[in-house]
Amino acid sequence: EAGVAQSPRYKIIEKRQSVAFWCNPISGHATLYWYQQILGQGPKLLIQFQNNGVVDDSQLPKDRFSAERLKGVDSTLKIQPAKLEDSAVYLCASSLTGTGVAEQYFGPGTRLTVT
Amino acid sequence: ELKVEQNPLFLSMQEGKNYTIYCNYSTTSDRLYWYRQDPGKSLESLFVLLSNGAVKQEGRLMASLDTKARLSTLHITAAVHDLSATYFCAVGNDMRFGAGTRLTVKP
């Protein structure tokens, strides 16, 4: 079974630039999550999708971050404009259901450096 | 707001020894997760605990949940070097993570 795919794996941008990350979840997984993990910290949930609807985006900085999951499969996370404090690893995860019971499977992450 | 605290944050163990990592959380929740993260890698799910008194074991790791005390423990038995990693607990529907416990097992 293929795992969660993310691209790019690494990205370096200057502050005030824009960046987008892509995630392809495990086939058949209805729920998709985006996390931000700053070095030395635990992941922070940014947004949760159930199919193509948003379940929770309470911790997403909506003035600069946006995410979509068209057709309920792939998802993109965008930052515009980036700030230095956005430097982190962005992890995508998927699960079979969104009830919280199902195990989450994480992708390899995208390491973003903002200079 | 749900707060999740893990301790210790850093743990250095000798091979063959036993130890326990603790995860406390501030508000009621009926679900708790444990993950492992190797340096530079993504997270691997270890356990999903869904009810008070739940206990799960996999190899040298055993996790338990006490929802009344708002406490989960991850017990390591006879540690081996391969267990060196960072261990995270996460709580609730909105997946609040602790800061992680960085475990190093020395020969």
Side-chain angles (χ1 to χ4, degrees):
Chain A
E1 175 182 87
V4 176
Q6 289 187 247
S7 68
R9 293 295 311 279
Y10 305 91
K11 189 75 176 178
I12 301 174
I13 62 172
E14 295 182 352
K15 60 184 179 184
R16 291 187 287 273
Q17 285 187 322
S18 302
V19 66
F21 312 126
W22 173 82
C23 173
N24 180 238
I26 293 173
S27 177
H29 279 196
T31 307
L32 185 146
Y33 311 79
W34 282 103
Y35 292 87
Q36 179 192 59
Q37 186 176 22
I38 293 171
L39 186 64
Q41 298 182 18
K44 181 179 86 170
L45 179 65
L46 294 176
I47 189 166
Q48 176 185 347
F49 292 95
Q50 178 79 11
N51 296 309
N52 60 349
V54 175
V55 173
D56 182 358
D57 64 356
S58 58
Q59 298 190 89
L60 186 73
K62 298 180 186 62
D63 57 334
R64 298 183 301 106
F65 286 64
S66 64
E68 60 182 10
R69 191 183 183 197
L70 299 176
K71 302 180 183 178
V73 182
D74 293 5
S75 177
T76 56
L77 176 70
K78 296 179 181 178
I79 307 175
Q80 180 180 11
K83 294 185 175 182
L84 295 176
E85 59 260 36
D86 297 332
S87 294
V89 176
Y90 291 85
L91 295 164
C92 178
S94 70
S95 65
L96 203 52
T97 72
T99 62
V101 174
E103 189 174 352
Q104 289 191 25
Y105 295 85
F106 282 80
T110 296
R111 184 177 298 273
L112 174 67
T113 302
V114 182
T115 63
Chain B
E1 178 183 307
L2 175 61
K3 295 191 186 303
V4 181
E5 290 186 356
Q6 284 184 240
N7 68 83
L9 297 182
F10 298 92
L11 176 56
S12 181
M13 299 176 61
Q14 292 292 127
E15 278 191 332
K17 298 292 187 182
N18 304 332
Y19 209 85
T20 300
I21 298 170
Y22 298 89
C23 175
N24 292 87
Y25 51 98
S26 60
T27 62
T28 303
S29 178
D30 60 355
R31 59 199 64 186
L32 188 139
Y33 310 82
W34 283 98
Y35 292 89
R36 169 183 172 144
Q37 187 174 39
D38 291 292
K41 304 290 186 182
S42 193
L43 280 80
E44 174 191 352
S45 177
L46 294 175
F47 302 108
V48 181
L49 303 170
L50 297 174
S51 60
N52 187 42
V55 177
K56 290 194 175 180
Q57 182 163 6
E58 180 74 34
R60 300 174 187 275
L61 301 178
M62 183 173 70
S64 65
L65 178 61
D66 182 342
T67 58
K68 294 179 182 178
R70 299 175 188 166
L71 170 69
S72 179
T73 60
L74 180 66
H75 187 74
I76 303 158
T77 302
V80 293
H81 179 69
D82 285 352
L83 290 179
S84 297
T86 300
Y87 293 85
F88 292 97
C89 63
V91 181
N93 291 338
D94 58 353
M95 297 295 292
R96 297 280 174 153
F97 276 77
T101 296
R102 186 173 298 178
L103 171 66
T104 303
V105 181
K106 298 181 177 180

